[in-house]
Amino acid sequence: MTSFDYDDRIFVSVDHAGDADPLRGHYHQRGDLVWAEICGGPVRYGRLAGTCDAQGVVRFAYVEVLVDGSIVVGECESRPERLPDGRIRLREQWRRHGPRRDSGVSVIEEAVRVEAREEQRV
């Protein structure tokens, strides 16, 4: 089994620079199967589905409907690291297919849960 558990975690783009609506994903996991719903930033709605290996590396395919109405599809490999506060950071090497072909690296981090912030105040 993996040393990282992605089930019911929210990840947010670290590149959003204070945007009111940053790109975010709600992740789910059952065994090695990982999937998520994506929205925010330029993405009106998206989904990803893939698998996770024993080191927590997630390999997935994705499809997104952008706010301009265009549709993009691609694949990604996300490599995890544990942040000092226990949250997960994913460094993503992605490749988009089709007419909007592109590739790059993105970084997303697990969002701080409201409940966790409330517990810290007590």
Side-chain angles (χ1 to χ4, degrees), residues 18-88:
D19 292 343
D21 189 25
L23 182 62
R24 64 192 172 283
H26 185 186
Y27 281 59
H28 312 277
Q29 183 174 358
R30 297 292 178 273
D32 70 338
L33 181 64
V34 176
W35 69 98
E37 300 84 30
I38 309 160
C39 65
V43 179
R44 186 171 158 202
Y45 182 79
R47 300 279 286 192
L48 67 83
T51 57
C52 179
D53 68 17
Q55 289 74 43
V57 176
V58 181
R59 292 174 182 84
F60 62 84
Y62 65 89
V63 60
E64 299 170 340
V65 177
L66 303 182
V67 293
D68 68 5
S70 60
I71 298 171
V72 296
V73 297
E75 59 189 299
C76 184
E77 180 178 280
S78 297
R79 296 194 166 272
E81 62 182 85
R82 192 73 66 184
L83 295 170
D85 63 5
R87 294 178 303 126
I88 301 169

Side-chain angles (χ1 to χ4, degrees), residues 101-118:
R101 200 175 304 271
D102 200 2
S103 64
V105 175
S106 300
V107 177
I108 61 175
E109 290 182 356
E110 185 177 352
V112 175
R113 298 236 182 213
V114 173
E115 307 89 59
R117 285 188 290 210
E118 292 298 323

Side-chain angles (χ1 to χ4, degrees), residues 1-3 9 14 17-18 22 25 37 47 69 77 83-86 88 90 95 100 104 108 121:
M1 199 60 186
T2 178
S3 58
R9 296 184 189 263
V14 299
E37 300 84 30
R47 300 279 286 192
E77 180 178 280
L83 295 170
D85 63 5
I88 301 169
L90 293 171
R95 185 172 58 200
R100 296 182 77 160
I108 61 175
R121 285 190 225 165

